Amino acid sequence: MYSSDICIFASLYVCMRLSRRFKYIFRILVWGCLGLYISTWTLLNLPYVQGKLAALASGALKQVLNTEVSVGRVNIGMLNRIIIEDVLLNDQQGEEMLKVSRLAARFELKPLFDGKISINNVQLFGLSAQLKRDTPQATPNFQFVLDALASKDTLKKETNLDLRINSVLIRKGQIAYNVLSEPETPGKFNPSHMGIDDLSASISLKALKNDSLHAI
């Protein structure tokens, strides 16, 4: 056997050994990542951890909106899915303004590293909204939510809010709007007293940034 043949066989042998070693390392990495993901998912779905997540979520919303917010439970599902149950938001007079029995959303991980929130779809079940104002000229009770999402400074302040949602699905929704100073007119249309029951809707929200909203 020539020396060149020996070198070729030796090279092939080394390559085979390296290939087997790489496959072994690759298997370890795959199973390690899978085990870490499953362990994290299991941990996040423990009742104690879900309660802590709910407390953190409600605390963060209280700080942003400056009103009472409560969250019953936060459930992290598989495949980047999050489910929030029993969401209650009061207006600044301490009265119930918005309630959602179940909110489910699927989000993308990559945009988070760029300071963006990208959500494929949001599902709202059991939505109940009580929108009102004391007089036609008075500030509506939901204005503070819009103000919290808007820039208040003359010099524009950059925030991490760059929200993108493909669609919002509403099922079994109920929305009421009332101007308290205006009389009711039973049986006749009254723009000061309007309500929608058993609302089912699909809304496409293209982009929500610090100073703009694009929805259809």
Side-chain angles (χ1 to χ4, degrees), residues 15 17-28:
C15 290
R17 291 291 301 272
L18 289 174
S19 176
R20 290 173 183 172
R21 181 165 296 183
F22 284 137
K23 288 181 180 179
Y24 177 72
I25 295 174
F26 180 74
R27 289 196 199 101
I28 292 177

Side-chain angles (χ1 to χ4, degrees), residues 41-194:
W41 177 78
T42 303
L43 179 64
L44 290 174
N45 283 278
L46 292 176
Y48 174 78
V49 177
Q50 289 180 343
K52 290 295 184 181
L53 289 174
L56 288 173
S58 59
L61 290 172
K62 286 179 185 178
Q63 186 176 6
V64 172
L65 299 176
N66 193 28
T67 190
E68 185 65 27
V69 182
S70 66
V71 176
R73 189 175 69 167
V74 176
N75 181 18
I76 307 297
M78 300 289 279
L79 301 176
N80 306 334
R81 183 178 174 85
I82 183 171
I83 300 172
I84 304 176
E85 298 181 356
D86 299 327
V87 180
L88 176 63
L89 171 65
N90 289 344
D91 60 24
Q92 293 189 315
Q93 284 69 47
E95 299 181 1
E96 180 181 307
M97 187 185 74
L98 179 66
K99 182 167 62 176
V100 181
S101 299
R102 184 172 179 266
L103 185 155
R106 193 180 299 277
F107 60 92
E108 298 178 11
L109 291 174
K110 185 178 178 181
L112 292 176
F113 296 99
D114 299 325
K116 300 178 181 179
I117 303 175
S118 182
I119 301 176
N120 291 332
N121 59 74
V122 175
Q123 298 176 345
L124 300 174
F125 298 94
L127 169 70
S128 176
Q130 303 297 324
L131 312 178
K132 61 184 180 181
R133 62 174 74 197
D134 292 331
T135 66
Q137 295 77 29
T139 301
N141 66 334
F142 55 87
Q143 184 63 46
F144 74 99
V145 176
L146 303 179
D147 293 340
L149 298 177
S151 175
K152 301 181 179 66
D153 300 331
T154 304
L155 295 176
K156 196 168 185 178
K157 182 179 178 182
E158 292 295 331
T159 70
N160 290 328
L161 180 62
D162 188 355
L163 179 63
R164 300 182 184 279
I165 301 176
N166 289 337
S167 63
V168 177
L169 181 68
I170 300 175
R171 289 292 180 267
K172 297 182 179 180
Q174 181 182 13
I175 300 177
Y177 171 76
N178 291 286
V179 181
L180 302 182
S181 65
E182 300 301 298
E184 297 185 9
T185 56
K188 295 182 180 180
F189 174 74
N190 188 338
S192 297
H193 298 280
M194 297 184 294

